[in-house]
């Protein structure tokens, strides 16, 4: 029995909600015809900027799914004025198997050279699962869809680069102090020259 004591009042309330919902306009997004508005920082596919990759293998080692495959070779680079040529790694293969990827973003976070980025692009379904193995050329094409980084919050903490630049500018504009010497009480005092 319902709390109002009238039999069937629960059914009447349920029908009232149904009728109220039936009279509203539908807010369904027509997805294939109209592109959805994705929230900022959406995770779609991982894009590769191959020029920044130094083949350090951090992304492949940290990947919990082992879905990143990297091959490289060493190349000698002649440096003018150096005693001997230096070696550098050249990227031959960089593949990500998106059928295994769980989109955790660890590879993007650990990359010290900003070679991997999140792209909001999500329309890359395939009929064959083997086509979800994207090579470096395919991953490089996704770079066009990577959004620019968000603007720095003026009320937030300044970045490390801004702090370092401000210190250098302050050190350059401050008057040069002479050497310091120890005082008898344990402190230091500067001497001007």
């Amino acid at each position: 029995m319902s709390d109002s004591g009238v039999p069937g009042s629960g059914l009447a309330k349920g029908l009232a909600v149904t009728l109220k919902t039936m009279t509203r306009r539908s807010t369904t997004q027509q997805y294939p015809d109209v592109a959805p508005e994705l929230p900022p920082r959406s995770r779609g596919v991982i894009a590769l900027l191959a020029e920044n990759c130094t083949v350090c293998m951090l992304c492949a080692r940290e990947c919990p799914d082992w879905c990143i495959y990297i091959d490289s070779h060493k190349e000698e680079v002649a440096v003018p004025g150096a005693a001997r040529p230096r070696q550098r790694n050249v990227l031959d293969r960089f593949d990500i198997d998106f059928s295994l990827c769980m989109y955790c973003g660890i590879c993007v976070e650990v990359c010290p050279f900003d070679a991997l980025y999140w792209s909001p692009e999500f329309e890359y379904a395939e009929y064959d699962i083997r086509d979800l193995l994207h090579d470096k050329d395919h991953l490089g094409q996704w770079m066009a869809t990577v959004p620019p980084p968000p603007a720095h919050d003026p009320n937030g903490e300044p970045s490390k680069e801004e702090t370092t630049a401000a210190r250098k500018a302050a050190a350059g504009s401050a008057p040069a102090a002479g050497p310091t010497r120890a005082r008898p009480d344990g402190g230091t005092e500067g001497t001007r020259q």
Side-chain angles (χ1 to χ4, degrees):
M1 186 171 255
S2 67
D3 51 347
S4 65
V6 179
S9 63
L11 179 64
K13 287 180 184 177
L15 288 174
V17 170
T18 302
L19 289 173
K20 187 170 71 172
T21 306
M22 284 176 55
T23 58
R24 287 189 197 150
R25 270 188 76 78
S26 175
T27 58
T28 303
Q29 293 183 352
Q30 303 300 321
Y31 163 61
D33 301 325
V34 179
E37 289 186 28
L38 298 173
R41 297 178 60 190
S42 295
R43 291 183 177 187
V45 70
I46 297 169
L48 171 71
L49 186 60
E51 300 87 49
N52 288 0
C53 184
T54 60
V55 197
C56 65
M57 307 288 274
L58 276 174
C59 54
R61 278 185 278 162
E62 295 295 327
C63 179
D65 291 334
W66 293 71
C67 64
I68 300 175
Y69 310 103
I70 301 174
D71 289 330
S72 67
H73 70 275
K74 295 221 184 263
E75 189 176 84
E76 288 192 351
V77 178
V79 179
R84 59 187 175 96
R86 297 192 180 169
Q87 290 187 348
R88 71 178 182 108
N89 289 327
V90 177
L91 185 65
D92 293 329
R93 175 185 180 209
F94 193 104
D95 295 348
I96 298 179
D97 191 351
F98 285 105
S99 65
L100 297 175
C101 182
M102 65 180 185
Y103 305 93
C104 63
I106 293 174
C107 58
V108 177
E109 295 297 321
V110 301
C111 182
F113 301 103
D114 292 332
L116 297 174
Y117 293 90
W118 278 115
S119 167
E121 193 65 39
F122 62 93
E123 298 174 314
Y124 56 96
E126 300 287 347
Y127 288 108
D128 189 359
I129 196 169
R130 292 172 289 195
D131 293 334
L132 287 172
L133 181 70
H134 293 181
D135 61 355
K136 70 177 181 175
D137 296 330
H138 198 161
L139 294 172
Q141 292 172 357
W142 295 115
M143 279 303 297
T145 63
V146 173
H152 185 66
D153 183 9
N155 297 328
E157 185 177 314
S159 68
K160 181 179 72 173
E161 293 82 7
E162 290 173 333
T163 308
T164 306
R167 281 189 200 142
K168 286 182 181 177
S173 64
T180 59
R181 62 180 169 200
R183 290 192 316 221
D185 62 351
T188 58
E189 73 180 20
T191 59
R192 292 213 177 253
Q193 294 180 346

